[in-house]
């Protein structure tokens, strides 16, 4: 991975992966793309940025050739809650975009990464320590696109030799760019509100455990997998990875260690609660550890300290507190 084109560069993962790769590979070796362009945004202004709708195959191929990239990291997709509001559009964007990116990777002989998610599992998979290889019967459109995406990436590897790699991300927590339209977003919102208002009304019910990870561990996982020895990879698309599994009351308790007066209340959103309940409580990531040495560094309290410290600094700089 020496020169990379990233789609969805303005998203929660993309914005941090662009920053990391610009640092690791150099500004001229990262081509950040997104369907929108933002004013005063470092992703758009501190390196190479191109507007790109991933449903436009010709433009995607033109950019990959123009910049002579050796890798495509395809992140552009709708997340779970948004996809449930418009499932047909979600299928169209998620699958047309993925197919276009894989086709360009095939034609230009590029390395390829696109994320899957714990959403690829459904309610009939064992919910605790869910195995890497098991039944995959998701009941959300987002999950359907993730399972289909895994199968498509494996197909392009087996039939065309595309070096495609993928991880099943858990919920990702970060302070730089807020996620949009996810089910696990509560685990980000709670930190924002803990500092801004001292309370949070959670839309996910107490006791609802989901796998989660701090963004630094997620970014490190992508870089590590993409640089891993291909001879060691048995699974490819897509590796389970996780750092922790918690329910809302557990992240609230972690916050209270640093903000004792923090108050948590609940107003469950039935749609996102149903999505959350269809996903595992915890997944088994032993294959990622065995095949490419995945090793997360943040547990819940270390993440809470980091989030509260960095968000306090961010809000003070923005004059919000
Ligand atoms: C979502 N954050 O909530 C994403 C993720 C495992 C959850 O795929 O849709």
């Amino acid at each position: 991975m020496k020169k990379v084109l990233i789609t969805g560069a303005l998203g929660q993962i993309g914005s941090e992966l662009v920053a990391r790769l610009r640092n690791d590979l150099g500004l001229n070796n990262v081509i950040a793309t997104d369907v929108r362009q933002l004013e005063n945004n470092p992703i758009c202004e501190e390196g190479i940025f191109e507007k790109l709708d991933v449903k436009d195959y010709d433009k995607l191929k033109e950019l990959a050739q123009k910049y002579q990239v050796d890798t495509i990291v395809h992140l552009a997709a709708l997340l779970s809650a948004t996809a449930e509001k418009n499932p047909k559009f979600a299928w169209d964007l998620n699958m047309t975009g993925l197919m276009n990116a894989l086709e360009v990777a095939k034609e230009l002989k590029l390395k390829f990464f696109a994320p899957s998610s714990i959403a690829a599992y459904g309610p009939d998979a064992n919910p605790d320590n869910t195995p890497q290889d098991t039944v995959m019967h998701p009941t959300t459109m987002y999950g359907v696109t993730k399972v289909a995406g895994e199968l498509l990436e494996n197909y392009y590897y087996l039939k065309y030799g595309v070096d495609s790699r993928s991880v099943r991300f858990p919920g990702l927590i970060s302070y730089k760019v807020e996620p949009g339209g996810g089910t696990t977003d509560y685990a980000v919102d709670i930190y924002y509100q803990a500092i801004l208002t001292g309370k949070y009304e959670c839309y996910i019910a107490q006791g609802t455990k989901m796998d989660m990870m701090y963004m630094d561990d997620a970014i490190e996982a992508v870089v590590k997998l993409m640089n891993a020895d291909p001879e060691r990879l048995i699974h490819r698309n897509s590796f389970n990875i996780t750092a922790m599994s918690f329910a809302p009351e557990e992240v609230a308790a972690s916050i209270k260690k640093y903000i004792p007066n923090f108050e948590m209340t609940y107003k469950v959103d039935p749609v996102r609660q149903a999505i959350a309940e269809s996903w595992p409580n915890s997944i088994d990531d032993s294959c990622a550890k065995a095949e490419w040495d995945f090793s997360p560094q943040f547990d819940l309290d270390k993440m809470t300290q980091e989030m509260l410290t960095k968000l306090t600094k961010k809000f003070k700089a923005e004059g919000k507190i």
Side-chain angles (χ1 to χ4, degrees), residues 6-16 18 32-39 41-45 49-51 75-76 176-179:
I6 299 174
T7 71
L10 289 171
Q12 184 196 17
I13 302 170
S15 56
E16 302 222 27
V18 165
T33 74
D34 203 291
V35 70
R36 59 208 163 114
Q37 186 151 3
L38 300 178
E39 296 285 316
N41 182 292
I43 301 300
C44 301
E45 294 175 357
F49 179 86
E50 296 274 3
K51 277 190 80 175
L75 302 176
K176 290 177 184 168
V177 171
E178 288 191 76

Side-chain angles (χ1 to χ4, degrees), residues 3 10 37 42 65 79 141 143 151 188 192 195 243 279 291-293 310-311:
K3 192 158 190 180
L10 289 171
Q37 186 151 3
Q65 287 175 310
L79 295 183
M141 174 53 82
L151 297 173
V188 176
Y192 280 68
I195 295 170
W279 295 348
E291 296 175 36
W292 48 277
D293 310 317
K310 294 289 178 58
L311 282 172

Side-chain angles (χ1 to χ4, degrees), residues 59-209:
K59 178 72 173 177
L60 175 52
K61 186 174 180 183
E62 175 204 319
L63 291 176
Q65 287 175 310
K66 173 184 173 184
Y67 291 100
Q68 296 290 299
V69 300
D70 64 14
T71 304
I72 288 180
V73 173
H74 178 59
L75 302 176
L78 291 187
L79 295 183
S80 56
T82 304
E84 280 313 291
K85 290 175 186 162
N86 195 340
K88 187 179 179 308
F89 175 67
W91 172 269
D92 182 33
L93 172 59
N94 289 10
M95 300 313 297
T96 305
L98 178 62
M99 176 65 89
N100 285 344
L102 281 165
E103 274 293 301
V104 171
K106 177 191 80 171
E107 293 197 18
L108 303 182
K109 298 187 180 2
L110 308 180
K111 221 170 176 180
F112 186 87
F113 174 89
S116 180
S117 161
I118 61 172
Y121 289 106
D124 59 350
N126 179 333
D128 300 307
N129 202 31
T130 309
Q132 171 72 46
D133 300 310
T134 189
V135 287
M136 310 295 284
H137 296 151
T139 52
T140 64
M141 174 53 82
Y142 175 66
V144 168
T145 69
K146 287 304 172 183
V147 172
E150 290 184 15
L151 297 173
L152 207 52
E153 290 157 40
N154 277 326
Y155 178 84
Y156 271 73
Y157 168 66
L158 295 168
K159 187 168 175 81
Y160 304 116
V162 172
D163 184 356
S164 61
R165 307 181 188 194
S166 176
V167 295
R168 290 177 187 143
F169 278 132
L172 298 181
I173 289 98
S174 63
Y175 66 90
K176 290 177 184 168
V177 171
E178 288 191 76
T183 298
T184 60
D185 298 357
Y186 89 87
V188 176
D189 300 343
I190 191 170
Y191 288 107
Y192 280 68
Q193 293 308 312
I195 295 170
L196 293 172
T197 65
K199 54 190 173 187
Y200 183 63
E201 184 178 79
C202 188
Y203 59 75
I204 295 292
Q206 282 185 303
T208 310
K209 290 179 84 73

